Amino acid sequence: GSPLRIMRLTSAGQAAWHELREGPVASRRTGLLARQLTDAGLVHPLPPGLPALPDATVVIPVRDRAVMLERCLAALEGSYPVVVVDDGSANPAAVAQVAARHGARLIRREVNGGPAAARNTALRCVTSDVIAFIDSDCAASPGWIQRLAAHLADPLVAAVAPRIAGSAAGTWAGQYTSIASSLDLGDRAARVLPRTQVSYVPTAALVARRAALLAAARDGEVFDEGMRIGEDVDLVWRLHEAGWRIRYDPAVQIAHHEPGTWPALLARRYRYGTSAAPLALRHPGAVTHLVLYPWPAATVAAALARRPAAAAAAFTGSVLATFQSLHRADVPAQGTVRAMLGSVSQTWLGAGRYATQFAAPLLVTAIAAPGGRSAGQRWGRRAAAASLLLGPPLAAWAASPLTLDPARFALARIADDVSYGLGVWRGCLSERTISPVRPVIGRHRLRIDAAARQALAAPDARPDKDDNPR
């Protein structure tokens, strides 16, 4: 799961697990266990087959980009009604012609209000049970709405997002953003939660339950029209805070047009960064760029300071503390050393990316003019700073499709991170907060959920739909 979890099952829980392995949820006990497992991210729900075509409407906000809108509408195959909201285009006639050619309903906004305002305008006119949002620079895959809407068989699921796969020109910038798009959230299914592996999903493509959207509205607005960037993340987090589940299903992919030039790419990343501060004010504690756990952080700090004895002591302390915690919880301790090594590695990579995003000039200065009384001190400090700057992009390159050489990928990733960080700092100045750039001290806790244990041990009862994901 994310964060990592250990779950022990009672005898009743084990019986429920064996029932789930053989078939779908058929009792209150299996429903409770399925809910716990899927909420924790230990397993992921499988929809019970494709449903009949859902009662759905497609909503597309657009401002100019008639050529991309043509591509987007052509990929939709005409299976569902489509509402195109022209958000103050400079050439409305071109947008109207494309919409008419594909039989889409067109709503014209004379004044540009941003994606939030455009989507809200469409929602006031749509009455279907399911809303499928897609941006005009996306091209949908066949059957995407039906496949994602299958997750709505769970009555607590409010929205489901596909994987957004970048597509761009064959330039250096285009190659980089095609394999490292900030909208591509990876190939692992997940429950969407703040401060987890998949902490948000964009509305570049999203299938949502209309009733949930209306229930999460604030001051009559489903999308916050005060946000030009990040309004989709705000909505997803409001849905989560209201008790709904949001799923990420990478088995469904949507092609998204990415910038093919460096100015366009870096400008987009800068704009994305400006949303961090407004989101942090609306959702305290949800926006974090670095979480430090004490033992791994101490190990990394000692290693960067070239204190091998202190680093070894801190690492040993982390292993012993984890052993002790696992022993108290009566959990097998196999694999603890490997897990702690992974934690130290992730702390180093996370600290390096954080430093690149928010303190790149200090890293460059430490490399160029490290200071120190001796040549050995200077080269040691230079190596430590270089490891923070180059370690994260090279690790990301090794894990990506190798379509770019490591040097160009690393330079691109550093420019990407610096641009995003500048946007975050700009938002912090505008909102007068440093919350998005403040590191968070995390803690791992082992606890036994007594209430859940009692629920699993209780006799079977009639299944309750709110406890029954599948």
Side-chain angles (χ1 to χ4, degrees):
S2 178
L4 293 176
R5 298 167 187 256
I6 297 172
M7 183 178 290
R8 178 190 286 124
L9 299 179
T10 64
S11 57
Q14 292 175 44
W17 170 247
H18 288 300
E19 290 180 35
L20 285 175
R21 287 172 64 92
E22 298 300 324
V25 169
S27 66
R28 181 175 184 273
R29 181 172 64 183
T30 54
L32 285 170
L33 179 60
R35 177 66 68 197
Q36 285 185 297
L37 293 171
T38 56
D39 278 356
L42 292 170
V43 301
H44 302 292
L46 295 175
L50 291 179
L53 291 179
D55 176 24
T57 302
V58 181
V59 170
I60 307 174
V62 65
R63 186 184 185 192
D64 296 308
R65 301 202 298 196
V67 173
M68 289 187 185
L69 178 63
E70 178 88 51
R71 172 173 169 259
C72 178
L73 288 171
L76 290 176
E77 303 176 325
S79 301
Y80 301 94
V82 178
V83 176
V84 174
V85 182
D86 181 350
D87 190 26
S89 292
N91 185 3
V95 173
Q97 289 173 2
V98 172
R101 192 155 48 243
H102 292 273
R105 177 183 177 184
L106 178 66
I107 300 175
R108 164 74 177 168
R109 288 176 53 87
E110 296 298 330
V111 178
N112 174 260
R119 295 188 187 106
N120 284 340
T121 298
L123 287 173
R124 296 185 189 104
C125 307
V126 172
T127 59
S128 60
D129 294 335
V130 175
I131 311 295
F133 298 103
I134 188 167
D135 285 353
S136 59
D137 55 358
C138 290
S141 56
W144 71 287
I145 295 176
Q146 189 179 18
R147 292 165 67 189
L148 293 178
H151 285 275
L152 300 182
D154 180 349
L156 292 189
V157 169
V160 191
R163 183 177 185 180
I164 306 298
S167 63
T171 61
W172 176 10
Q175 287 178 296
Y176 168 75
T177 193
S178 292
I179 61 177
S181 169
S182 58
L183 299 183
D184 187 345
L185 302 177
D187 59 359
R188 294 185 178 182
R191 179 188 175 190
V192 182
L193 288 168
R195 296 179 60 175
T196 64
Q197 182 181 3
V198 180
S199 61
Y200 71 95
V201 286
T203 48
L206 185 77
V207 171
R209 197 186 301 270
R210 178 172 171 269
L213 298 178
L214 297 179
R218 180 184 297 158
D219 298 328
E221 295 181 355
V222 173
F223 291 90
D224 188 339
E225 297 185 14
M227 301 185 70
R228 289 275 183 153
I229 303 290
E231 78 292 338
D232 45 4
V233 180
D234 170 66
L235 173 62
V236 166
W237 287 351
R238 277 191 281 122
L239 288 169
H240 163 66
E241 290 160 5
W244 293 95
R245 308 301 193 266
I246 301 93
R247 303 293 317 175
Y248 172 64
D249 185 353
V252 180
Q253 294 193 21
I254 302 293
H256 179 256
H257 177 77
E258 296 284 347
T261 65
W262 284 115
L265 169 61
L266 298 181
R268 173 178 283 187
R269 287 295 284 151
Y270 174 85
R271 290 195 301 272
Y272 287 167
T274 61
S275 68
L279 286 169
L281 293 178
R282 288 166 170 79
H283 305 275
V287 180
T288 56
H289 291 95
L290 180 64
V291 179
L292 294 174
Y293 293 90
W295 284 115
T299 305
V300 171
L304 291 173
R306 295 194 305 155
R307 298 289 188 269
F315 181 75
T316 301
S318 71
V319 172
L320 292 177
T322 304
F323 267 127
Q324 186 179 23
S325 296
L326 293 173
H327 179 73
R328 285 199 306 267
D330 193 24
V331 173
Q334 289 92 337
T336 299
V337 174
R338 179 184 297 178
M340 291 300 98
L341 286 172
S343 182
V344 169
S345 173
Q346 290 303 311
T347 299
W348 165 57
L349 294 174
R353 192 168 192 195
Y354 173 87
T356 302
Q357 289 175 329
F358 303 119
L362 295 181
L363 284 182
V364 173
T365 300
I367 295 171
R373 295 180 180 180
S374 66
Q377 279 186 330
R378 290 191 292 273
W379 278 106
R381 294 177 180 178
R382 186 173 283 125
S387 76
L388 292 174
L389 182 68
L390 297 176
L394 291 177
W397 170 81
S400 69
L402 304 182
T403 56
L404 276 177
D405 60 84
R408 288 197 299 166
F409 184 95
L411 287 173
R413 186 60 171 262
I414 291 170
D416 185 335
D417 283 346
V418 170
S419 297
Y420 174 80
L422 288 173
V424 174
W425 279 119
R426 176 68 179 86
C428 288
L429 289 173
S430 298
E431 302 292 340
R432 299 182 180 180
T433 179
I434 62 168
S435 175
V437 298
R438 185 187 300 124
V440 173
I441 304 300
R443 292 181 61 193
H444 286 304
R445 297 178 179 176
L446 285 174
R447 61 184 177 83
I448 297 176
D449 191 335
R453 176 173 289 185
Q454 290 176 1
L456 285 175
D460 281 354
R462 183 178 179 181
D464 176 48
K465 69 175 184 177
D466 288 341
D467 292 326
N468 189 345
R470 301 283 187 275

